[in-house]
Amino acid sequence: MSPSVVLQHYQVAIIGGGIAGLTTALALERLGIRYILFERHESLAPDEGASIGLLPNGLRILDQLGLMEEIEKHTTALQRWQHLDGDGALLSEVNALGYYPSTIGYGGLFLERRKLLRIMADGLKSVDSIRTGTRVTSVRETSEQAILTTSDGIRITADLVIGADGVRSCVRPAIDQAPQGSPGSSDDYMSTRFACVYGISPPVEGIIAGDCFSVYRPAATILIFTGKGGTVFWFVFEDLGQTYTLSTTPQYTTADVEKLCRSVSHLRITPTVRFGDVYEKRSVAVKVALEEGVAPNWHSEHMVVVGDAAHKMVPNAAMGANQAIESATVLLNELHSVLCGPSQGYMPHETLTAALKQYANSRKLRTAGIVQKAGITCRAQLAHDGPAAALRHELPSLTDGDWLFRGFMGLADAPVLAGIPLSQHGLLYQQAVDQFRKRVRARENEGLNISNMELFDTEGI
């Protein structure tokens, strides 16, 4: 077929079938909007990647999309977090995560990335809208629409292209070069200072399901979460000692995995478990660079980015997937009136542009703050100075109430999908946030002498 043939026009074209892309597709189906999704892998749940952390802000939205029951079959709520120094000495033990299910409706969960993608993909009804094994090679826009060309030469037009295609997005450079963008390249705002081996191991005797561990030491260190049945999801972080631009970010081999993991194999996780015990049982171990950054341009007239394409963060705060879900949600909320209005499928130019601008403006501040928070947490684990050192030094003094307070402050402003009812868990989340805000205001305005823990109803937990 000739590459010049235009097969079909869509209201929305999604590039990328990861967490952000599938969240967008599921929400569009709920709204009855016709879309097409391109994913370069042959499957929407490829056998690659390691784990995904889900927190209440992301879970509430996935619950709205009808996925929570299936997610719960594959997960166990996190309970306890132990912070250790390089010699295995306990710096702090935190049980705040254990309060989450009863106070805010959802716990912190970890599971294999491909399992979550499979759950999300299985929730899609419009299977004819999915094009796997198809790479988008170019994106450009005219005053009226966007035009996509795929690796097999097919051209598609769309009123709106949503780039959910990761940190090496093909949509983001096109937005950067659009007339209303700020000319530049990804190297100007995406960089790499750290690398990480993502791994999965079956249960290890001495590590309890629901436990998490952070080790604090320079050069290379460890972060561990546990999942269903005691499955161990682990991360080995490496300080590269210099900052790379996105285009010069290193690539890694199996030998690099082995070298880094062996260098920390002696680190003690529990009195009876060293990291080497976890690593020897590994089923997955992949080393990748950890890019960080927030794009300055999130949209043009007919293109927009979500997830890692817009805001890439290190995994230490377990917020990457949750922020991708949030961004897809806010974008769909802003587009709701455009897509579902009285225009019979036509997107008025000015209305579309205003919706995309509002989406970007409302998300940039929140995601930039979380990118920074994740970066500080990573640097704290790797013994950097500045704010990272302050975070590390305050660990022994922080109570469960302090951690709950900080957690609720981050969760309080999280969005939900407009027009889709909340479950009982989702309603509990909202009630908990409302009560938290009310008590914080009362403490500030009335000078009440109550601790952070007393802001929460935790009696009997």
Side-chain angles (χ1 to χ4, degrees):
M1 181 172 291
S2 170
S4 64
V5 175
V6 176
L7 288 185
Q8 211 157 8
H9 179 81
Y10 292 85
Q11 279 186 279
V12 179
I14 305 167
I15 303 178
I19 305 300
L22 290 178
T23 302
T24 304
L26 286 162
L28 285 172
E29 288 192 353
R30 289 296 189 98
L31 297 175
I33 303 303
R34 187 166 175 265
Y35 69 92
I36 187 168
L37 184 150
F38 295 102
E39 167 53 45
R40 63 185 179 87
H41 292 99
E42 295 295 333
S43 167
L44 288 177
D47 189 16
E48 63 177 50
S51 57
I52 285 287
L54 296 173
L55 294 173
N57 53 323
L59 287 168
R60 180 170 56 164
I61 296 165
L62 296 178
D63 196 5
Q64 285 185 282
L65 294 171
L67 305 179
M68 195 63 204
E69 182 177 350
E70 191 63 28
I71 290 172
E72 287 179 328
K73 293 178 182 178
H74 299 277
T75 55
T76 296
L78 300 171
Q79 300 291 325
R80 180 177 63 168
W81 202 318
Q82 296 187 47
H83 300 268
L84 311 167
D85 68 15
D87 296 322
L90 185 66
L91 299 173
S92 173
E93 182 173 300
V94 182
N95 296 287
L97 281 172
Y99 295 115
Y100 272 30
S102 57
T103 57
I104 202 166
Y106 306 94
L109 309 176
F110 254 80
L111 72 164
E112 292 178 50
R113 184 176 187 271
R114 64 181 178 86
K115 283 187 178 179
L116 178 60
L117 291 174
R118 174 49 55 201
I119 291 168
M120 298 179 77
D122 287 347
L124 293 171
K125 303 292 189 285
S126 183
V127 294
D128 292 340
S129 298
I130 309 301
R131 302 286 189 274
T132 55
T134 305
R135 185 169 57 89
V136 174
T137 57
S138 71
V139 186
R140 63 184 180 87
E141 67 179 8
T142 68
S143 59
E144 298 179 348
Q145 61 192 7
I147 304 172
L148 291 73
T149 304
T150 67
S151 51
D152 49 8
I154 294 173
R155 297 176 73 201
I156 299 292
T157 63
D159 294 321
L160 177 64
V161 171
I162 299 176
D165 50 342
V167 68
R168 287 173 174 77
S169 169
C170 72
V171 179
R172 190 179 64 237
I175 292 174
D176 284 341
Q177 298 307 315
Q180 65 273 36
S182 303
S185 75
S186 297
D187 282 352
D188 297 329
Y189 50 82
M190 292 286 179
S191 62
T192 301
R193 173 60 190 258
F194 309 104
C196 175
V197 177
Y198 293 85
I200 302 176
S201 297
V204 175
E205 185 176 356
I207 295 181
I208 302 170
D211 277 357
C212 318
F213 305 88
S214 293
V215 178
Y216 295 77
R217 67 189 296 271
T221 195
I222 298 164
L223 175 64
I224 289 176
F225 298 96
T226 51
K228 184 80 169 181
T231 299
V232 182
F233 301 107
W234 50 269
F235 306 76
V236 179
F237 296 102
E238 179 183 23
D239 189 337
L240 300 177
Q242 68 179 87
T243 299
Y244 296 87
T245 62
L246 184 63
S247 63
T248 61
T249 291
Q251 303 293 310
Y252 297 104
T253 66
T254 302
D256 295 319
V257 171
E258 182 75 4
K259 181 180 179 181
L260 178 57
C261 291
R262 292 298 178 192
S263 75
V264 295
S265 63
H266 65 287
L267 295 181
R268 192 172 293 282
I269 307 303
T270 77
T272 61
V273 179
R274 296 181 185 273
F275 176 70
D277 302 321
V278 176
Y279 181 61
E280 290 299 333
K281 299 184 72 173
R282 67 195 179 277
S283 59
V284 174
V286 180
K287 187 174 183 181
V288 298
L290 297 179
E291 306 90 350
E292 300 174 272
V294 179
N297 305 310
W298 286 28
H299 73 93
S300 59
E301 292 184 350
H302 297 280
M303 299 182 289
V304 65
V305 285
V306 294
D308 287 353
H311 43 77
K312 181 66 169 65
M313 59 196 72
V314 294
N316 298 70
M319 285 295 278
N322 297 283
Q323 288 309 304
I325 294 168
E326 279 196 18
S327 285
T329 295
V330 173
L331 175 61
L332 266 296
N333 288 347
E334 293 299 336
L335 290 173
H336 187 276
S337 61
V338 183
L339 296 169
C340 303
S343 302
Q344 299 296 322
Y346 169 70
M347 292 189 184
H349 179 269
E350 291 184 0
T351 307
L352 175 60
T353 301
L356 298 179
K357 182 178 181 179
Q358 180 59 33
Y359 153 70
N361 289 343
S362 65
R363 287 297 293 164
K364 279 185 180 179
L365 183 62
R366 177 167 169 81
T367 55
I370 294 172
V371 167
Q372 182 183 48
K373 175 185 175 183
I376 291 173
T377 304
C378 181
R379 288 161 174 80
Q381 276 201 251
L382 286 161
H384 281 220
D385 295 328
L391 174 60
R392 189 170 62 252
H393 293 152
E394 72 174 348
L395 283 173
S397 66
L398 294 175
T399 66
D400 286 346
D402 296 332
W403 286 105
L404 279 172
F405 182 89
R406 294 181 181 191
F408 265 63
M409 289 296 289
L411 298 171
D413 294 327
V416 295
L417 285 162
I420 300 177
L422 294 172
S423 70
Q424 289 301 312
H425 291 292
L427 293 172
L428 175 58
Y429 184 128
Q430 193 57 52
Q431 291 165 4
V433 166
D434 291 343
Q435 187 174 45
F436 169 71
R437 285 174 167 158
K438 181 179 179 180
R439 289 177 175 177
V440 169
R441 284 195 299 268
R443 185 172 68 173
E444 293 174 349
N445 297 335
E446 300 171 23
L448 299 180
N449 185 24
I450 59 174
S451 69
N452 280 338
M453 197 64 176
E454 291 173 302
L455 294 170
F456 305 93
D457 288 328
T458 58
E459 292 184 9
I461 297 175

